Structure formats: structure tokens, C-alpha cells
Amino acid sequence: MTLLADLVAALDSGTIEVVDLTAPLSSRTPIIALPEQFGQTSRFGLAQISRYDDAGPAWYWNNFTSGEHTGTHFDAPIHWVTGRDLPDVSRVPAGDLVAPAVVLDFTARVAGNPDALLEVADIEAWQEEHGPLPAGGWLLVRTGWDARADDDAAYLNAGRTPGMSVACAKWLAEEAPVRGVGVETVGTDAGASHSFDPPFPCHSYLLGAGKYGLTQLRNLAQLPPTGAVLVTGPLPIVDGSGSPCRVLALVER
């Protein structure tokens, strides 16, 4: 058998499980709210074209509207000013969308402090136990925040959401071998990061380094600390700064 045939057989037998890390996308999906002087993103919306009626007797379909950064979504480097000359989401290499992933469990600290920040020391401690971060892969930070995802107010939490320190973001961008970071919160940065120096350091450093972000992930509790493979499917929007996406993890059981 070939490697791909082995993979199909493992998926069919359940030896490899597909875990969906994607939040359902609807008008109820939480979105980030910026200060009033800035432009705002749109909630997801459907507008029916036809549903087995005079406008289309045999078919059902809709138009949809959405911000690029609504729901579970992919941040391309061009999303931030530091990556303004780097690729848009349509030019992200397909090979970058299938990559190994590790999960760092940060839930205990976040449970006691919604403003908790991941530090380089936390990642170093994780590596001592689990080995090095995957070259060309993803660091997924589990905070337990997805438990709030169906309650807009609890999920946004008046801007009090966990993230990473400036030093940690800089280290992940400049020294770590990963190609991106994934989180369960509405954005990759902490809620208080607007007051950091630089502001929004995860966006500033990682996207400026040509790396990627994934946000509003779910079900990270179902993944092992190491060994998963992430399959990420953003829409290839020409000139797009990002895209809602389906994120799947392949996990060997």
C-alpha cells in the first residue's frame, strides 16, 4: 500500500481521528469590536436567493456577507502593517496549510486570571516535557476560552482575554521554528494588548515575520500535546488579509 492509501485506511478504521477545531459560522458568531473611531468588521449574514420556489424551483442557495476576520479565521501576513509587503491570503503556499501542531495547555492560569499572558518561560517549560516546537508547524495555545464561545458577552469579556507577552510574541516570531500560532480567543493578542509596546505584539511581530495566526479555535482539549497534524482551509481571497476557514486536526488514536 502507498502512504496515502495507508492514510485513507487509518481514517476509515478510526486509527486516525479527524477533530474539527472550527466554530460554527452564523449571525451569532462573536466578533471583535474596535473603538468607535475605527472601522468595524461585519457579522456573518445570509441572504436567501431561492429555496425550491419561484426564484429557483429546484435549488436552495444564499448570498453571504462576512468580515475576513469573523469566526474561526486565518490571519495572513498582509493583515498587519508590519507585513504590508508580504503575501495576501490567496498567495499563502498550499503546503503551509498542512502542518504539524502542538498544544500548550494554559488553562489553569487563565482560570484564575483572564488577563494571563503566555511567557517564553512557559514555552521553554513545555519543551522540557514534550520536546521542541515543530519546525514549520503550529503552536496552539489552549486556554479553555472556547467554553465561552456561545455567549457573546462572556467570550469578549469586556476586553479581558488572555494572550501572550510582548517578549513571547517577539520570541515566537524571531526565534521559534513554528510558522504560526493558534488561539481560542477572538484574536491572537490579549485583550489588553492595545496598551502594550508595541501594541498587539502577536500581530505585529508574527505577521511581520511572514508567519500566520489562527483564532477562535475550538476543541483543543481533544488534541494531544504533540503529534497532531493541522489542515487549514482559508478561502484564497485575492488581496485578502485573511479568511474564515475550516480547521481540522488529524490525531492518531
Side-chain angles (χ1 to χ4, degrees), residues 122-167:
D122 298 313
I123 300 176
E124 290 174 339
W126 184 94
Q127 289 186 105
E128 288 179 5
E129 181 177 358
H130 299 290
L133 297 177
W138 292 92
L139 170 63
L140 307 180
V141 182
R142 182 182 167 223
T143 56
W145 213 256
D146 60 336
R148 300 167 174 250
D150 293 323
D151 182 330
D152 216 50
Y155 188 69
L156 299 176
N157 201 37
R160 298 191 64 192
T161 59
M164 63 184 65
S165 71
V166 172

Side-chain angles (χ1 to χ4, degrees), residues 189-222:
D189 274 296
S193 64
H194 55 82
S195 63
F196 294 178
D197 184 17
F200 309 104
C202 192
H203 283 79
S204 182
Y205 285 124
L206 269 82
L207 300 183
K211 297 185 177 184
Y212 312 127
L214 284 175
T215 76
Q216 300 193 44
L217 298 174
R218 292 192 178 190
N219 301 322
L220 294 186
Q222 298 181 32

Side-chain angles (χ1 to χ4, degrees), residues 73-96:
H73 65 267
F74 184 98
D75 290 347
I78 200 174
H79 176 45
W80 213 248
V81 64
T82 51
R84 64 192 306 165
D85 297 321
L86 297 177
D88 64 45
V89 70
S90 74
R91 294 188 290 131
V92 171
D96 286 1

Side-chain angles (χ1 to χ4, degrees), residues 25-163:
L25 189 57
S26 75
S27 61
R28 297 182 298 276
T29 298
I31 58 172
I32 194 168
L34 301 182
E36 291 183 3
Q37 67 267 32
F38 298 121
Q40 306 296 324
T41 192
S42 299
R43 287 190 179 274
F44 182 84
L46 284 181
Q48 183 176 299
I49 303 170
S50 69
R51 189 163 186 149
Y52 330 121
D53 52 24
D54 290 344
W59 53 90
Y60 166 54
W61 58 339
N62 304 286
N63 290 316
F64 69 84
T65 57
S66 177
E68 295 171 325
H69 301 269
T70 298
T72 302
H73 65 267
F74 184 98
D75 290 347
I78 200 174
H79 176 45
W80 213 248
V81 64
T82 51
R84 64 192 306 165
D85 297 321
L86 297 177
D88 64 45
V89 70
S90 74
R91 294 188 290 131
V92 171
D96 286 1
L97 302 177
V98 181
V102 299
V103 180
L104 188 155
D105 190 337
F106 198 48
T107 54
R109 198 177 308 169
V110 171
N113 177 17
D115 299 307
L117 298 178
L118 188 72
E119 301 286 356
V120 175
D122 298 313
I123 300 176
E124 290 174 339
W126 184 94
Q127 289 186 105
E128 288 179 5
E129 181 177 358
H130 299 290
L133 297 177
W138 292 92
L139 170 63
L140 307 180
V141 182
R142 182 182 167 223
T143 56
W145 213 256
D146 60 336
R148 300 167 174 250
D150 293 323
D151 182 330
D152 216 50
Y155 188 69
L156 299 176
N157 201 37
R160 298 191 64 192
T161 59

